[in-house]
Amino acid sequence: MAPMGIRLSPLGMAVFCLLGLGVLYHLYSGFLAGRFAFFMLSEPAAAGPETSRGSAPGGAVDLRELLAVSVLAAVRGGEEVKRVREGNVLNAKAKGKTREGAEEQLTSGDLLSNRRMFYLLKSAFPAVQINSEERVDAAEQETVSWDHTIPEDIKQKIQPKEVPAESVTVWIDPLDATQEYTEDLRQYVTTMVCVAVNGKPVIGVIHKPFSAYTAWAMVDGGANVKPRSSYNEKTPRIIVSRSHAGKVEQVARQTFGNKTVIIPAGGAGYKVLALLDVAEKNQEEADVYIHVTYIKKWDICAGNAVLRALGGHMTTLTGEEISYTGSDGNEGGLIASINMNHKALIEKLPDLEKTSHK
């Protein structure tokens, strides 16, 4: 009941209520809109720029994305390799002996390239197993992000393709041809990334830091490199490690004739590029690549993938496919070729297999 002498007007009450509702709307509309926006942005954004399909453990990995990151990792690692060499701050030291008794060298270029490549790949695809030639020191972890940019040449040639993350193994060689690197034989040096799916190499990236040349290929996808137009099966030019030239030369000449050319060279990546059409001033050309002793898988996985994508072959000296799971070493040596009768080459060189375990 209203105080004595005051009568409440129905119209006034209605106006008062409307003003009250207006004040409440003004106070809470922003809050409610903000909560609604938060709810919407909190939904899974499968195609958002901040989300990697390969980032969730047990999820899927898009091989096109992984190729793009692999190319970037090889280039970024190569920048470190080049910077250290040009600054002449190698800090080279022996890290052990090979099975042949030669001293293996380790430089700042190896370590800095490895750190840059490993953490870039790991930040983009944390669920994927990564095997690298050099040990990764957790105390030196660095944050390296990928902006999810896919280069136009990869977009044009490669379609998205997803595989289970647990089926993928990435092999990194942060500095191939370290011995030649210390001798300033820059043409042999490469950085490499390989992606294997269920043990089979499907993506290969080979980057030459001192000329900024990069070759990449994806099996059943595409490539930015191609085979040369001609090869010589009768008297092939055979490219081998500098330390193995003597072992291969005698058998090769007996098999193919005295006109066979043996090309000593450094670096597995460089040797694979010798089989391809590479417009590089310091790149030699060969028909066959042979290695007659034990070799690590990060040395050869990228080259194997590139050759497979282009229709070539890289096998052990007895013709067995090389699996990129399990141990990090390949015991059976290797023979690589493209646009040649690979089986016939293996049959012609039976004696080389005997030396592969020495």
Side-chain angles (χ1 to χ4, degrees), residues 23-350:
V23 170
L24 290 173
Y25 174 79
H26 178 74
L27 290 174
Y28 287 98
S29 61
F31 171 77
L32 292 173
R35 295 302 299 169
F36 179 74
F38 174 79
F39 173 78
M40 293 301 293
L41 291 174
S42 297
E43 290 297 302
E50 299 300 325
T51 303
S52 170
R53 286 190 290 272
S55 62
V61 171
D62 181 355
L63 292 179
R64 184 171 74 166
E65 288 188 350
L66 191 45
L67 169 59
V69 180
S70 297
V71 170
L72 182 60
V75 171
R76 291 277 179 85
E79 291 170 355
E80 296 296 319
V81 168
K82 184 179 180 182
R83 182 177 62 82
V84 169
R85 178 66 265 183
E86 292 183 343
N88 200 28
V89 286
L90 273 65
N91 298 318
K93 60 181 180 181
K95 69 174 182 179
K97 290 184 179 293
T98 66
R99 290 191 179 186
E100 298 165 289
E103 289 283 0
E104 278 195 283
Q105 296 290 310
L106 179 66
T107 71
S108 295
D110 295 87
L111 297 175
L112 293 173
S113 174
N114 183 68
R115 188 170 70 184
R116 180 64 61 87
M117 295 173 71
F118 179 87
Y119 285 116
L120 175 57
L121 287 157
K122 198 65 178 175
S123 66
F125 294 93
V128 167
Q129 179 182 336
I130 301 176
N131 296 335
S132 179
E133 179 174 8
E134 307 304 338
R135 185 174 64 87
V136 178
D137 190 344
E140 296 180 344
Q141 181 172 347
E142 63 178 82
T143 302
V144 186
S145 61
W146 176 49
D147 64 4
H148 292 257
T149 298
I150 298 178
E152 285 301 318
D153 60 340
I154 293 178
K155 278 186 180 179
Q156 292 172 7
K157 295 180 180 180
I158 306 295
Q159 295 298 313
K161 181 179 181 180
E162 291 191 345
V163 296
E166 61 269 20
S167 70
V168 176
T169 305
V170 177
W171 296 84
I172 299 174
D173 193 340
L175 201 170
D176 190 40
T178 299
Q179 180 60 46
E180 287 74 17
Y181 182 66
T182 63
E183 298 173 19
D184 209 15
L185 299 173
R186 304 183 183 195
Q187 71 271 24
Y188 297 128
V189 176
T190 62
T191 57
M192 296 188 286
V193 181
C194 176
V195 176
V197 178
N198 295 320
K200 295 183 178 180
V202 298
I203 290 174
V205 180
I206 305 174
H207 175 68
K208 299 183 78 172
F210 297 102
S211 64
Y213 173 82
T214 306
W216 60 260
M218 177 173 159
V219 175
D220 296 328
N224 72 340
V225 65
K226 58 185 180 181
R228 295 199 328 276
S229 57
S230 62
Y231 294 84
N232 189 338
E233 286 197 57
K234 293 184 177 180
T235 54
R237 292 166 294 181
I238 301 176
I239 194 164
V240 299
S241 294
R242 295 160 71 204
S243 58
H244 297 167
K247 288 183 178 181
V248 177
E249 184 171 8
Q250 184 176 1
V251 174
R253 291 188 186 282
Q254 289 174 351
T255 303
F256 298 108
N258 290 330
K259 292 184 178 179
T260 302
V261 177
I262 303 298
I263 305 171
Y270 178 89
K271 297 184 188 81
V272 168
L273 291 179
L275 306 181
L276 307 176
D277 184 11
V278 175
E280 285 279 284
K281 181 175 64 175
N282 293 324
Q283 179 66 60
E284 294 166 285
E285 293 184 351
D287 301 305
V288 181
Y289 165 28
I290 292 176
H291 188 87
V292 295
T293 59
Y294 174 87
I295 191 168
K296 292 295 182 69
K297 291 178 181 177
W298 42 66
D299 290 318
I300 59 176
C301 186
N304 198 340
V306 171
L307 290 174
R308 285 188 70 223
L310 297 176
H313 301 275
M314 179 184 288
T315 66
T316 66
L317 293 171
T318 57
E320 297 176 0
E321 296 294 333
I322 302 168
S323 175
Y324 293 90
T325 56
S327 70
D328 60 16
N330 171 51
E331 297 280 354
L334 71 84
I335 180 168
S337 68
I338 189 167
N339 287 347
M340 299 182 73
N341 187 331
H342 193 77
K343 184 178 180 181
L345 288 172
I346 293 167
E347 291 172 350
K348 286 182 178 180
L349 297 169

